[in-house]
Amino acid sequence: PAGDQALVAFAVDGAAQAAVRGRLTVRGVPVEAETAYTLYFRDPEGRRVGVSTYPLPELDGVSPPRPPA
């Protein structure tokens, strides 16, 4: 709902993030906030959505470090 700070975020690559930005622009949907990695906007129901290029090792084919046993 509008004003809600709950967030749904999706990990994407740079090309996908640029495509989302383009679709938002064409449809007149404002980018609510932006960081070095993430675009935030609202879906039609007012939910906060993020698309992020933040590097996640497990998505880049690299296993995250495991704590010692």
Side-chain angles (χ1 to χ4, degrees):
D4 188 357
Q5 290 301 305
L7 172 68
V8 169
F10 299 93
V12 297
D13 63 21
Q17 187 183 60
V20 169
R21 183 190 296 273
R23 284 188 224 119
L24 293 172
T25 299
V26 166
R27 290 170 175 81
V29 177
V31 172
E32 186 172 89
E34 187 171 348
T35 68
Y37 297 105
T38 308
L39 298 177
Y40 298 97
F41 57 95
R42 299 276 174 174
D43 74 7
E45 299 297 322
R47 288 178 288 262
R48 196 166 178 232
V49 179
V51 288
S52 182
T53 60
Y54 187 83
L56 298 171
E58 58 274 7
L59 295 180
D60 295 332
V62 177
S63 297
R66 295 182 181 258

